[in-house]
């Protein structure tokens, strides 16, 4: 069967479960290259969600145009339309705050402060212990070198990550490290990062379900030749492949509420190390 003979499906699925069922049903009749993409998509849904067409094509061993043909074969307008379904899967995978409170009530801990403290302290300890084991010292040194060598450090971390970047802005200011906190107030994130250049660097922080504005700002900074250091939770994170150095942090959770302990410890490490490295020059 030639790829040109694949007909568009009417009413392409808008939820991941239905899309996965469609891919599984269609896989036996798809041409070899489209089958290759289908297999990769089911095995690496996070990469499909946040990879670029070029990166997904490279990793799946096909041409970017094949991704478009695969998407259209399933009834989507193009690859970005298909990606929306994979991105929705990540949003749906993260429980809402109401669901998290419900889980706590079911376990009898929503109103018992002692149990909450024990649970959150345990999650924080596990997060920091995991960071100690998994963080690559060479990558950490590389990240410090990049940030210490920058004329200005732009700090990008919105939504859940904002407390970390705001702390770093405070601490760097006290330590005499020139920085810009990109807070996106009034929708001015693009303008706040608009003066970045090749002599500057970005410290970007984002975790599942990745803040879309953070991703866009990091890509914009990369397009202006700035160097990028990312703190994120997966190799499939959209701010990992664009980074000159990326540091993996996977926070433990208590009843769906994720700790920020490891991320804050890493942020403090980077801040003080950068100030110390600059003082040596």
């Amino acid at each position: 069967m030639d790829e040109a003979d694949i007909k568009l499906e009417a009413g392409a699925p808008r939820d991941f479960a239905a899309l996965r069922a469609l891919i599984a049903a269609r896989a036996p009749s798809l041409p070899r290259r489209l089958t290759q993409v289908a297999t990769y998509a089911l095995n690496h849904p996070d990469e499909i969600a946040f990879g670029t067409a070029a990166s997904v094509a490279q990793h799946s061993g096909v041409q970017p145009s094949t991704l478009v043909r695969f998407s259209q074969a399933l009834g989507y307008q193009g690859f970005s339309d298909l990606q929306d379904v994979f991105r929705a899967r990540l949003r749906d995978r993260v429980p809402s705050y109401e669901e998290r409170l419900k889980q706590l009530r079911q376990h009898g801990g929503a109103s018992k402060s002692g149990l909450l403290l024990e649970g959150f302290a345990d999650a924080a300890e596990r997060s920091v212990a995991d960071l100690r084991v998994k963080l690559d010292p060479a990558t950490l040194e590389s990240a410090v070198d990049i940030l210490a060598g920058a004329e200005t450090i732009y700090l990008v971390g919105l939504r859940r990550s904002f407390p970390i970047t705001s702390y770093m802005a405070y601490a760097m200011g006290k330590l005499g490290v020139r920085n810009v906190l990109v807070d996106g107030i009034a929708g001015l994130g693009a303008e706040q990062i608009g003066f970045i250049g090749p002599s500057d660097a970005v410290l970007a922080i984002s975790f599942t379900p990745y803040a879309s504005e953070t991703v866009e700002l990091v890509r914009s900074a990369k397009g202006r030749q700035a160097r990028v250091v990312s703190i994120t939770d997966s190799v499939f994170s959209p701010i990992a492949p664009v980074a000159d150095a990326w540091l993996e942090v996977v926070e433990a959770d208590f009843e769906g509420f994720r700790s920020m302990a490891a991320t804050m410890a890493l942020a403090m490490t980077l801040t003080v190390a950068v100030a110390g490295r600059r003082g040596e020059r």
Side-chain angles (χ1 to χ4, degrees):
M1 181 186 298
D2 188 89
E3 293 176 6
D5 295 331
I6 299 296
K7 295 181 179 179
L8 298 183
E9 293 285 330
R14 304 316 304 183
D15 67 274
F16 183 73
L19 172 58
R20 183 171 54 189
L22 176 61
I23 292 175
R26 293 291 308 280
S29 63
L30 292 174
R32 181 174 62 86
R33 287 296 186 189
L34 299 194
T35 301
Q36 190 171 329
V37 176
T39 301
Y40 182 83
L42 294 181
N43 290 337
H44 303 89
D46 288 359
E47 170 62 14
I48 298 294
F50 288 110
T52 63
S55 68
V56 172
Q58 180 181 3
H59 292 150
S60 59
V62 300
Q63 295 297 318
S65 59
T66 305
L67 300 180
V68 176
R69 289 194 291 273
F70 173 72
S71 303
Q72 293 177 341
L74 298 177
Y76 297 94
Q77 295 180 358
F79 180 60
S80 61
D81 191 24
L82 174 68
Q83 277 186 307
D84 288 341
V85 181
F86 283 84
R87 289 171 179 170
R89 162 188 166 272
L90 289 178
R91 291 192 296 269
D92 294 341
R93 190 173 64 184
V94 178
S96 67
Y97 282 91
E98 291 78 9
E99 291 170 333
R100 298 175 198 182
L101 284 174
K102 183 178 179 180
Q103 290 176 357
L104 280 172
R105 294 189 186 102
Q106 288 173 345
H107 295 159
S111 60
K112 298 181 180 179
S113 301
L115 290 177
L116 289 174
L117 177 58
E118 183 178 346
F120 288 125
D122 179 67
E125 290 172 0
R126 286 186 284 124
S127 296
V128 173
D130 184 70
L131 177 68
R132 282 176 167 169
V133 171
K134 293 183 178 179
L135 188 63
D136 177 35
T139 304
L140 177 60
E141 287 299 318
S142 176
V144 172
D145 284 340
I146 291 169
L147 296 175
E151 182 176 328
T152 302
I153 299 171
Y154 287 75
L155 302 167
V156 182
L158 304 176
R159 298 172 65 85
R160 175 174 171 263
S161 303
F162 185 69
I164 307 298
T165 51
S166 59
Y167 163 77
M168 294 184 76
Y170 163 79
M172 285 184 177
K174 292 293 186 181
L175 292 168
V177 178
R178 184 174 177 178
N179 72 90
V180 173
L181 176 61
V182 181
D183 54 24
I185 291 179
L188 295 175
E191 286 75 11
Q192 290 174 323
I193 210 168
F195 293 104
I196 199 167
S199 62
D200 303 318
V202 172
L203 186 283
I205 307 175
S206 191
F207 303 100
T208 305
Y210 312 101
S212 59
E213 187 174 2
T214 296
V215 177
E216 293 171 4
L217 291 172
V218 171
R219 288 175 175 167
S220 174
K222 190 68 174 179
R224 293 173 178 266
Q225 308 303 312
R227 304 196 72 188
V228 176
V229 173
S230 295
I231 298 176
T232 190
D233 55 5
S234 170
V235 67
F236 295 116
S237 165
I239 66 170
V242 297
D244 297 282
W246 76 275
L247 305 164
E248 184 176 16
V249 177
V250 180
E251 298 277 8
D253 75 273
F254 173 58
E255 298 293 2
F257 291 91
R258 285 175 289 176
S259 168
M260 294 293 284
T263 310
M264 182 59 81
L266 180 56
M268 294 174 69
T269 300
L270 288 171
T271 300
V272 176
V274 167
R277 189 71 54 83
R278 288 191 171 199
E280 295 172 356
R281 295 178 176 178

